[in-house]
Amino acid sequence: MSRFLTLARSLLAPLLPQPNSNPPTPTIESYGQGESGIPMEEMQPIMEWLFASLFNAGYYGTAHIVWYNDAAPDPKLEKAVKDGVKRDEPTLLYRCGSQVQPPPNGYYWRLMAEHPSNRIYQLEVKEED
Protein backbone atom coordinates (compact mmCIF):
# COMPACT_ATOMS: atom_id res chain seq x y z
CA MET A 1 0.00 0.00 0.00
CA SER A 2 2.87 2.40 0.73
CA ARG A 3 4.13 2.04 -2.85
CA PHE A 4 0.68 3.05 -4.06
CA LEU A 5 0.61 6.08 -1.75
CA THR A 6 4.05 7.17 -2.87
CA LEU A 7 3.11 6.83 -6.53
CA ALA A 8 -0.19 8.68 -6.06
CA ARG A 9 1.50 11.53 -4.20
CA SER A 10 4.28 11.87 -6.77
CA LEU A 11 1.77 11.98 -9.64
CA LEU A 12 -0.57 14.44 -7.96
CA ALA A 13 1.98 16.67 -6.22
CA PRO A 14 2.47 19.07 -9.17
CA LEU A 15 -1.31 19.63 -9.35
CA LEU A 16 -1.85 20.38 -5.67
CA PRO A 17 -0.92 23.53 -3.77
CA GLN A 18 2.25 23.01 -1.78
CA PRO A 19 1.54 23.84 1.89
CA ASN A 20 4.27 23.68 4.50
CA SER A 21 2.84 20.49 5.98
CA ASN A 22 2.01 17.16 4.36
CA PRO A 23 -1.17 17.19 2.25
CA PRO A 24 -4.16 15.41 3.81
CA THR A 25 -4.71 11.82 2.80
CA PRO A 26 -7.57 9.46 3.62
CA THR A 27 -7.05 7.04 6.49
CA ILE A 28 -8.66 3.60 6.44
CA GLU A 29 -9.24 1.76 9.71
CA SER A 30 -9.47 -1.98 9.03
CA TYR A 31 -11.27 -4.50 11.26
CA GLY A 32 -11.51 -8.29 11.18
CA GLN A 33 -8.86 -8.93 8.57
CA GLY A 34 -7.27 -11.75 10.59
CA GLU A 35 -10.54 -13.67 10.92
CA SER A 36 -11.68 -13.01 7.37
CA GLY A 37 -9.80 -15.85 5.68
CA ILE A 38 -8.66 -13.44 2.94
CA PRO A 39 -4.89 -13.51 2.27
CA MET A 40 -3.07 -10.17 2.56
CA GLU A 41 -2.07 -10.29 -1.12
CA GLU A 42 -5.80 -10.27 -2.00
CA MET A 43 -6.58 -7.52 0.51
CA GLN A 44 -3.99 -5.09 -0.78
CA PRO A 45 -5.64 -4.37 -4.17
CA ILE A 46 -8.99 -3.94 -2.41
CA MET A 47 -7.46 -1.43 0.02
CA GLU A 48 -5.75 0.38 -2.87
CA TRP A 49 -9.05 0.60 -4.75
CA LEU A 50 -10.80 1.90 -1.65
CA PHE A 51 -8.08 4.48 -0.99
CA ALA A 52 -8.23 5.66 -4.61
CA SER A 53 -12.03 5.89 -4.42
CA LEU A 54 -11.89 8.02 -1.28
CA PHE A 55 -9.17 10.21 -2.77
CA ASN A 56 -11.12 10.58 -6.04
CA ALA A 57 -14.24 11.59 -4.08
CA GLY A 58 -12.22 14.27 -2.29
CA TYR A 59 -12.59 12.57 1.09
CA TYR A 60 -9.52 13.02 3.29
CA GLY A 61 -10.85 11.87 6.66
CA THR A 62 -11.05 8.46 8.28
CA ALA A 63 -13.03 5.61 6.74
CA HIS A 64 -13.69 2.15 8.17
CA ILE A 65 -13.66 -1.22 6.44
CA VAL A 66 -14.94 -4.39 8.07
CA TRP A 67 -13.85 -7.75 6.69
CA TYR A 68 -16.92 -9.85 7.53
CA ASN A 69 -16.91 -13.63 7.41
CA ASP A 70 -20.35 -14.98 8.31
CA ALA A 71 -18.78 -18.40 9.04
CA ALA A 72 -16.84 -16.80 11.93
CA PRO A 73 -18.85 -13.75 13.10
CA ASP A 74 -17.07 -11.48 15.56
CA PRO A 75 -19.13 -9.24 17.89
CA LYS A 76 -16.30 -6.67 17.87
CA LEU A 77 -17.06 -5.98 14.20
CA GLU A 78 -20.57 -4.77 15.09
CA LYS A 79 -18.99 -2.24 17.45
CA ALA A 80 -16.59 -1.11 14.71
CA VAL A 81 -19.54 -0.42 12.40
CA LYS A 82 -21.36 1.53 15.12
CA ASP A 83 -18.21 3.56 15.86
CA GLY A 84 -18.04 4.62 12.21
CA VAL A 85 -21.73 5.60 12.32
CA LYS A 86 -21.27 7.64 15.51
CA ARG A 87 -18.42 9.59 13.93
CA ASP A 88 -20.33 10.05 10.65
CA GLU A 89 -17.43 8.50 8.75
CA PRO A 90 -17.70 6.26 5.67
CA THR A 91 -18.13 2.66 6.78
CA LEU A 92 -17.63 -0.18 4.34
CA LEU A 93 -17.87 -3.94 4.52
CA TYR A 94 -16.10 -6.59 2.50
CA ARG A 95 -18.24 -9.75 2.39
CA CYS A 96 -15.85 -12.66 2.85
CA GLY A 97 -18.60 -15.28 3.10
CA SER A 98 -22.11 -15.60 1.70
CA GLN A 99 -23.87 -12.96 3.84
CA VAL A 100 -23.32 -9.41 5.03
CA GLN A 101 -23.27 -8.40 8.67
CA PRO A 102 -26.67 -7.12 9.84
CA PRO A 103 -26.62 -3.31 9.65
CA PRO A 104 -27.50 -1.09 12.61
CA ASN A 105 -31.12 0.05 12.90
CA GLY A 106 -31.93 2.77 10.40
CA TYR A 107 -29.16 1.74 7.98
CA TYR A 108 -28.63 -0.69 5.10
CA TRP A 109 -25.64 -2.05 3.17
CA ARG A 110 -25.47 -0.69 -0.40
CA LEU A 111 -23.51 -2.86 -2.83
CA MET A 112 -20.69 -0.87 -4.44
CA ALA A 113 -21.07 -2.18 -7.97
CA GLU A 114 -18.04 -0.12 -9.01
CA HIS A 115 -15.76 -2.82 -7.59
CA PRO A 116 -15.58 -5.98 -9.76
CA SER A 117 -15.76 -8.37 -6.78
CA ASN A 118 -19.38 -7.48 -5.92
CA ARG A 119 -18.35 -7.95 -2.29
CA ILE A 120 -17.88 -4.36 -1.11
CA TYR A 121 -20.78 -2.57 0.56
CA GLN A 122 -21.14 0.93 1.95
CA LEU A 123 -23.31 1.63 4.98
CA GLU A 124 -26.09 4.04 4.05
CA VAL A 125 -28.88 5.73 6.03
CA LYS A 126 -32.34 4.38 5.27
CA GLU A 127 -34.70 7.00 3.92
CA GLU A 128 -38.01 7.24 5.76
CA ASP A 129 -41.01 6.32 3.60
Side-chain angles (χ1 to χ4, degrees), residues 38 42-43 45-47 49-50 65 67 93-97 111-121:
I38 305 289
E42 287 182 37
M43 283 184 182
I46 295 164
M47 294 294 284
W49 178 87
L50 179 55
I65 185 165
W67 303 88
L93 178 138
Y94 186 85
R95 179 177 47 85
C96 304
L111 176 66
M112 295 185 73
E114 302 88 3
H115 192 269
S117 72
N118 286 326
R119 291 180 170 267
I120 296 181
Y121 299 80

Short mmCIF file of all heavy atoms in Angstrom, two decimals, residues 38 42-43 45-47 49-50 65 67 93-97 111-121:
data_model
loop_
_atom_site.label_atom_id
_atom_site.label_comp_id
_atom_site.label_asym_id
_atom_site.label_seq_id
_atom_site.Cartn_x
_atom_site.Cartn_y
_atom_site.Cartn_z
N ILE A 38 -9.17 -14.04 4.18
CA ILE A 38 -8.66 -13.44 2.94
C ILE A 38 -7.16 -13.22 3.09
O ILE A 38 -6.72 -12.56 4.03
CB ILE A 38 -9.35 -12.09 2.64
CG1 ILE A 38 -10.87 -12.23 2.61
CG2 ILE A 38 -8.81 -11.47 1.36
CD1 ILE A 38 -11.41 -12.97 1.43
N GLU A 42 -4.50 -10.57 -1.40
CA GLU A 42 -5.80 -10.27 -2.00
C GLU A 42 -6.39 -9.00 -1.41
O GLU A 42 -7.14 -8.29 -2.08
CB GLU A 42 -6.77 -11.43 -1.81
CG GLU A 42 -6.47 -12.63 -2.69
CD GLU A 42 -7.48 -13.75 -2.49
OE1 GLU A 42 -8.69 -13.46 -2.30
OE2 GLU A 42 -7.07 -14.92 -2.53
N MET A 43 -6.06 -8.72 -0.15
CA MET A 43 -6.58 -7.52 0.51
C MET A 43 -5.96 -6.25 -0.04
O MET A 43 -6.63 -5.22 -0.13
CB MET A 43 -6.31 -7.58 2.02
CG MET A 43 -7.22 -8.46 2.77
SD MET A 43 -6.85 -8.32 4.53
CE MET A 43 -8.00 -9.49 5.16
N PRO A 45 -4.99 -5.10 -3.06
CA PRO A 45 -5.64 -4.37 -4.17
C PRO A 45 -7.01 -3.80 -3.78
O PRO A 45 -7.41 -2.76 -4.30
CB PRO A 45 -5.77 -5.40 -5.28
CG PRO A 45 -5.20 -6.66 -4.78
CD PRO A 45 -4.70 -6.47 -3.40
N ILE A 46 -7.70 -4.44 -2.87
CA ILE A 46 -8.99 -3.94 -2.41
C ILE A 46 -8.77 -2.64 -1.63
O ILE A 46 -9.48 -1.64 -1.84
CB ILE A 46 -9.71 -4.99 -1.54
CG1 ILE A 46 -10.06 -6.21 -2.41
CG2 ILE A 46 -10.95 -4.41 -0.87
CD1 ILE A 46 -10.41 -7.46 -1.64
N MET A 47 -7.77 -2.64 -0.75
CA MET A 47 -7.46 -1.43 0.02
C MET A 47 -6.99 -0.31 -0.91
O MET A 47 -7.35 0.85 -0.71
CB MET A 47 -6.40 -1.74 1.07
CG MET A 47 -6.86 -2.69 2.16
SD MET A 47 -8.16 -1.99 3.18
CE MET A 47 -7.20 -0.87 4.19
N TRP A 49 -7.86 0.12 -4.05
CA TRP A 49 -9.05 0.60 -4.75
C TRP A 49 -9.87 1.51 -3.84
O TRP A 49 -10.32 2.58 -4.26
CB TRP A 49 -9.90 -0.59 -5.23
CG TRP A 49 -11.16 -0.16 -5.91
CD1 TRP A 49 -11.31 0.13 -7.23
CD2 TRP A 49 -12.44 0.02 -5.31
NE1 TRP A 49 -12.62 0.50 -7.47
CE2 TRP A 49 -13.33 0.45 -6.32
CE3 TRP A 49 -12.93 -0.12 -4.01
CZ2 TRP A 49 -14.67 0.72 -6.07
CZ3 TRP A 49 -14.27 0.16 -3.77
CH2 TRP A 49 -15.12 0.57 -4.79
N LEU A 50 -10.03 1.10 -2.59
CA LEU A 50 -10.80 1.90 -1.65
C LEU A 50 -10.12 3.25 -1.40
O LEU A 50 -10.78 4.29 -1.42
CB LEU A 50 -10.97 1.13 -0.33
CG LEU A 50 -11.74 1.84 0.77
CD1 LEU A 50 -13.11 2.28 0.29
CD2 LEU A 50 -11.86 0.93 1.97
N ILE A 65 -13.28 -0.04 7.22
CA ILE A 65 -13.66 -1.22 6.44
C ILE A 65 -13.67 -2.43 7.37
O ILE A 65 -12.75 -2.63 8.17
CB ILE A 65 -12.75 -1.48 5.21
CG1 ILE A 65 -13.30 -2.67 4.40
CG2 ILE A 65 -11.30 -1.67 5.61
CD1 ILE A 65 -12.75 -2.80 3.01
N TRP A 67 -13.99 -6.52 7.46
CA TRP A 67 -13.85 -7.75 6.69
C TRP A 67 -14.74 -8.78 7.39
O TRP A 67 -14.38 -9.31 8.43
CB TRP A 67 -12.39 -8.20 6.66
CG TRP A 67 -11.50 -7.15 6.10
CD1 TRP A 67 -10.89 -6.14 6.78
CD2 TRP A 67 -11.12 -6.99 4.74
NE1 TRP A 67 -10.16 -5.36 5.93
CE2 TRP A 67 -10.27 -5.86 4.66
CE3 TRP A 67 -11.39 -7.69 3.57
CZ2 TRP A 67 -9.71 -5.41 3.47
CZ3 TRP A 67 -10.85 -7.24 2.38
CH2 TRP A 67 -10.01 -6.11 2.34
N LEU A 93 -17.96 -2.54 4.13
CA LEU A 93 -17.87 -3.94 4.52
C LEU A 93 -17.42 -4.74 3.30
O LEU A 93 -17.92 -4.51 2.19
CB LEU A 93 -19.24 -4.43 5.00
CG LEU A 93 -19.34 -5.89 5.41
CD1 LEU A 93 -20.16 -6.01 6.69
CD2 LEU A 93 -19.95 -6.74 4.33
N TYR A 94 -16.48 -5.64 3.53
CA TYR A 94 -16.10 -6.59 2.50
C TYR A 94 -16.68 -7.94 2.91
O TYR A 94 -16.35 -8.46 3.98
CB TYR A 94 -14.58 -6.68 2.34
CG TYR A 94 -14.19 -7.56 1.17
CD1 TYR A 94 -14.13 -7.03 -0.11
CD2 TYR A 94 -13.94 -8.92 1.33
CE1 TYR A 94 -13.80 -7.83 -1.20
CE2 TYR A 94 -13.62 -9.72 0.26
CZ TYR A 94 -13.56 -9.17 -1.00
OH TYR A 94 -13.24 -9.96 -2.08
N ARG A 95 -17.58 -8.47 2.09
CA ARG A 95 -18.24 -9.75 2.39
C ARG A 95 -17.31 -10.89 2.03
O ARG A 95 -17.07 -11.17 0.87
CB ARG A 95 -19.55 -9.84 1.59
CG ARG A 95 -20.31 -11.13 1.80
CD ARG A 95 -21.62 -11.14 1.03
NE ARG A 95 -21.52 -10.72 -0.35
CZ ARG A 95 -21.18 -11.52 -1.37
NH1 ARG A 95 -20.89 -12.78 -1.15
NH2 ARG A 95 -21.12 -11.05 -2.60
N CYS A 96 -16.78 -11.55 3.06
CA CYS A 96 -15.85 -12.66 2.85
C CYS A 96 -16.59 -13.98 2.67
O CYS A 96 -16.06 -14.92 2.09
CB CYS A 96 -14.88 -12.77 4.02
SG CYS A 96 -13.97 -11.25 4.33
N GLY A 97 -17.81 -14.06 3.19
CA GLY A 97 -18.60 -15.28 3.10
C GLY A 97 -19.80 -15.05 2.19
O GLY A 97 -19.75 -14.30 1.23
N LEU A 111 -24.56 -2.22 -2.04
CA LEU A 111 -23.51 -2.86 -2.83
C LEU A 111 -22.81 -1.80 -3.67
O LEU A 111 -23.44 -1.01 -4.35
CB LEU A 111 -24.10 -3.93 -3.74
CG LEU A 111 -23.12 -4.62 -4.69
CD1 LEU A 111 -22.10 -5.44 -3.91
CD2 LEU A 111 -23.87 -5.50 -5.67
N MET A 112 -21.48 -1.79 -3.62
CA MET A 112 -20.69 -0.87 -4.44
C MET A 112 -20.34 -1.60 -5.73
O MET A 112 -19.31 -2.26 -5.83
CB MET A 112 -19.44 -0.42 -3.69
CG MET A 112 -19.78 0.40 -2.45
SD MET A 112 -18.32 1.04 -1.66
CE MET A 112 -17.86 2.33 -2.82
N ALA A 113 -21.22 -1.46 -6.71
CA ALA A 113 -21.07 -2.18 -7.97
C ALA A 113 -19.85 -1.72 -8.76
O ALA A 113 -19.46 -2.38 -9.72
CB ALA A 113 -22.34 -2.02 -8.80
N GLU A 114 -19.23 -0.62 -8.33
CA GLU A 114 -18.04 -0.12 -9.01
C GLU A 114 -16.86 -1.08 -8.88
O GLU A 114 -15.95 -1.08 -9.69
CB GLU A 114 -17.62 1.25 -8.45
CG GLU A 114 -18.68 2.31 -8.54
CD GLU A 114 -19.61 2.33 -7.33
OE1 GLU A 114 -19.42 1.56 -6.36
OE2 GLU A 114 -20.56 3.13 -7.36
N HIS A 115 -16.86 -1.87 -7.80
CA HIS A 115 -15.76 -2.82 -7.59
C HIS A 115 -16.14 -4.16 -8.23
O HIS A 115 -17.24 -4.66 -8.02
CB HIS A 115 -15.47 -3.00 -6.10
CG HIS A 115 -14.18 -3.72 -5.86
ND1 HIS A 115 -14.11 -5.09 -5.74
CD2 HIS A 115 -12.91 -3.26 -5.74
CE1 HIS A 115 -12.84 -5.44 -5.55
NE2 HIS A 115 -12.11 -4.34 -5.55
N PRO A 116 -15.25 -4.75 -9.01
CA PRO A 116 -15.58 -5.98 -9.76
C PRO A 116 -15.90 -7.20 -8.89
O PRO A 116 -16.50 -8.15 -9.38
CB PRO A 116 -14.35 -6.23 -10.62
CG PRO A 116 -13.25 -5.44 -10.01
CD PRO A 116 -13.89 -4.30 -9.28
N SER A 117 -15.52 -7.19 -7.62
CA SER A 117 -15.76 -8.37 -6.78
C SER A 117 -17.22 -8.54 -6.40
O SER A 117 -17.64 -9.64 -6.04
CB SER A 117 -14.92 -8.29 -5.51
OG SER A 117 -15.46 -7.30 -4.63
N ASN A 118 -18.01 -7.46 -6.43
CA ASN A 118 -19.38 -7.48 -5.92
C ASN A 118 -19.43 -7.95 -4.47
O ASN A 118 -20.36 -8.64 -4.07
CB ASN A 118 -20.31 -8.32 -6.81
CG ASN A 118 -20.65 -7.62 -8.09
OD1 ASN A 118 -20.76 -6.40 -8.12
ND2 ASN A 118 -20.78 -8.37 -9.15
N ARG A 119 -18.42 -7.57 -3.70
CA ARG A 119 -18.35 -7.95 -2.29
C ARG A 119 -18.13 -6.75 -1.37
O ARG A 119 -18.00 -6.92 -0.17
CB ARG A 119 -17.21 -8.95 -2.06
CG ARG A 119 -17.47 -10.30 -2.69
CD ARG A 119 -16.30 -11.24 -2.44
NE ARG A 119 -16.65 -12.59 -2.84
CZ ARG A 119 -17.17 -13.51 -2.03
NH1 ARG A 119 -17.39 -13.23 -0.78
NH2 ARG A 119 -17.46 -14.70 -2.47
N ILE A 120 -18.08 -5.55 -1.93
CA ILE A 120 -17.88 -4.36 -1.11
C ILE A 120 -19.20 -3.62 -0.99
O ILE A 120 -19.87 -3.36 -1.99
CB ILE A 120 -16.79 -3.44 -1.69
CG1 ILE A 120 -15.45 -4.16 -1.69
CG2 ILE A 120 -16.69 -2.14 -0.90
CD1 ILE A 120 -14.30 -3.35 -2.24
N TYR A 121 -19.53 -3.26 0.26
CA TYR A 121 -20.78 -2.57 0.56
C TYR A 121 -20.46 -1.32 1.37
O TYR A 121 -19.54 -1.31 2.17
CB TYR A 121 -21.69 -3.46 1.41
CG TYR A 121 -22.08 -4.75 0.73
CD1 TYR A 121 -21.22 -5.84 0.71
CD2 TYR A 121 -23.32 -4.88 0.11
CE1 TYR A 121 -21.58 -7.02 0.09
CE2 TYR A 121 -23.68 -6.05 -0.51
CZ TYR A 121 -22.81 -7.13 -0.52
OH TYR A 121 -23.16 -8.29 -1.14
#
